[in-house]
Amino acid sequence: MKKAGSVILGMTLAAALLAGCGSSQSADTAATQAQASGEAVSEAAEEAVSETAEAESAETAAEETTFTVGFDAEFPPYGFMDDNGEYTGFDLDLAQEVCDRNGWTLVKQPIDWDAKDAELESGAIDCIWNGFTMNGREDAYTWSDPYIDNSQVVVVPAGMGIESLADLAGLNVGVQKDSSALAALEGDQKELADTFGNLTQYADYNTAFMDLEQGAVDAVAIDIGVANYQIAGKEDQFTILDERLSSEQYAIGFKLGNTELRDQVQATLYEMAADGTLAEIADKYADYGVPESICLTAQDETADAAEVSEEAASAETAEEAAAEATEEAASAETAEEAAE
């Protein structure tokens, strides 16, 4: 019995030793597998981070190549919806050409004109480009150079005996909200506006002209380009008074401080003025007097080039004078040495 017990004890000890060795080897294997698994997870995490960074970079690049223009969709010929339901107009055509030359994608964003500042401040749009008057707002935006000379006029029904601004006394005059014409009637022309029977403000000029046709208003104060568009083909029904309410200039309004984008757009517009593209686009709207209103030319660009040339010539003259002085000094030194 003792012998059998000893054998059993030996077998038990051996099994324990074998079990111990097995546990050690299993632990080592588990550790190795865990390490490999950790490395795999780490690599997967790094790959995921890399893919996320690439996606963000692509998204940023897409954002950088998008140029969003805020405009009034009922302000022809500068911005409006054509018969095909497409947004078009002189300003939008200019914006499209600017985008084409810079490799940008143009986003035409119609806005409520009353909310244009909020749209710009929030970043929903990159600029306000649609018959936007810069006069009186010089410090509120970062402006491009002006490109259109514009006037505010009054349109009246033909044959009604209204021939001057003074004839508007006691009449109902329509105007668009937050427009340059309204600013004139509330500013320099307030004395004239006080003679009106009523000054009715509209959300857009299309509605104002519908009321003019129906006799709900007697006259409409409006930008001359829009007036020409509205009465095209209806010259026998409406006329534009010769007297102007005011004169101004259109420019592109960027968020205050956004000089980088402004400068890039401005440089492209000067290229377009220099190669004739600006004039070609304006000619599409010749029926509305746009070509005659263009005030942007390549003169400034030419002036800059002339200034650079003048500076170069001045530097060259100075260099020649310095060389001549050096030569004279060397000659004098040679003469002095000869005298010695």
Side-chain angles (χ1 to χ4, degrees):
M1 292 294 293
K2 288 184 179 180
K3 185 175 182 181
S6 298
V7 171
I8 293 172
L9 179 60
M11 292 175 63
T12 302
L13 291 173
L17 288 173
L18 288 173
C21 290
S23 296
S24 177
Q25 290 174 357
S26 297
D28 291 342
T29 301
T32 302
Q33 291 177 345
Q35 182 178 358
S37 177
E39 290 175 355
V41 170
S42 179
E43 290 175 0
E46 290 178 1
E47 185 176 350
V49 170
S50 178
E51 290 177 354
T52 301
E54 290 177 1
E56 291 176 349
S57 178
E59 184 178 351
T60 301
E63 290 176 355
E64 289 176 351
T65 57
T66 298
F67 183 55
T68 304
V69 171
F71 69 101
D72 180 351
E74 296 182 348
F75 199 74
Y78 300 99
F80 60 99
M81 182 179 287
D82 63 17
D83 295 336
N84 298 319
E86 299 292 331
Y87 291 124
T88 186
F90 176 62
D91 284 349
L92 294 180
D93 286 355
L94 290 183
Q96 184 63 66
E97 181 66 20
V98 167
C99 286
D100 291 345
R101 295 189 180 208
N102 286 284
W104 301 339
T105 298
L106 175 62
V107 176
K108 303 174 183 179
Q109 182 61 55
I111 58 175
D112 182 342
W113 201 243
D114 289 341
K116 60 184 180 296
D117 291 341
E119 296 279 0
L120 188 62
E121 286 297 320
S122 70
I125 59 177
D126 293 313
C127 68
I128 303 169
W129 191 347
N130 188 213
F132 194 26
T133 301
M134 67 183 301
N135 307 80
R137 301 183 175 117
E138 288 85 352
D139 298 330
Y141 306 87
T142 290
W143 291 99
S144 70
D145 290 341
Y147 62 96
I148 286 283
D149 284 326
N150 183 57
S151 297
Q152 278 67 52
V153 298
V154 176
V155 178
V156 298
M160 296 296 291
I162 306 174
E163 299 179 355
S164 68
L165 295 178
D167 293 334
L168 297 173
L171 301 183
N172 186 9
V173 179
V175 67
Q176 184 178 12
K177 294 179 180 179
D178 199 31
S179 66
S180 297
L182 178 60
L185 292 171
E186 292 179 338
D188 294 341
Q189 294 287 359
K190 187 177 187 307
E191 186 175 343
L192 170 67
D194 288 341
T195 68
F196 300 163
N198 190 40
L199 182 61
T200 302
Q201 297 185 29
Y202 292 89
D204 59 82
Y205 275 121
N206 287 338
T207 305
F209 264 85
M210 287 176 59
D211 277 3
L212 183 63
E213 289 180 324
Q214 296 170 4
V217 292
D218 303 301
V220 172
I222 189 172
D223 290 27
I224 190 169
V226 186
N228 286 328
Y229 181 90
Q230 291 285 358
I231 69 173
K234 303 176 182 178
E235 288 80 4
D236 59 332
Q237 301 177 47
F238 303 101
T239 185
I240 299 175
L241 299 183
D242 291 334
E243 292 179 82
R244 302 293 194 251
L245 289 174
S246 64
S247 295
E248 62 186 17
Q249 290 182 314
Y250 288 163
I252 309 164
F254 298 85
K255 186 175 180 179
L256 197 63
N258 191 2
T259 56
E260 183 177 356
L261 181 57
R262 186 275 312 275
D263 290 347
Q264 192 164 357
V265 171
Q266 185 63 67
T268 307
L269 285 174
Y270 274 122
E271 290 175 6
M272 292 162 58
D275 64 25
T277 305
L278 179 63
E280 289 178 8
I281 295 175
D283 285 342
K284 293 171 56 179
Y285 303 91
D287 291 343
Y288 317 119
V290 173
E292 295 79 14
S293 300
I294 295 294
C295 63
L296 180 70
T297 68
Q299 290 178 350
D300 288 357
E301 192 173 62
T302 304
D304 290 343
E307 184 178 346
V308 171
S309 297
E310 185 178 347
E311 290 176 355
S314 177
E316 185 176 350
T317 301
E319 186 177 349
E320 291 174 353
E324 185 176 347
T326 301
E327 185 176 346
E328 289 177 356
S331 178
E333 185 177 351
T334 302
E336 184 179 348
E337 290 175 351
E340 291 177 353

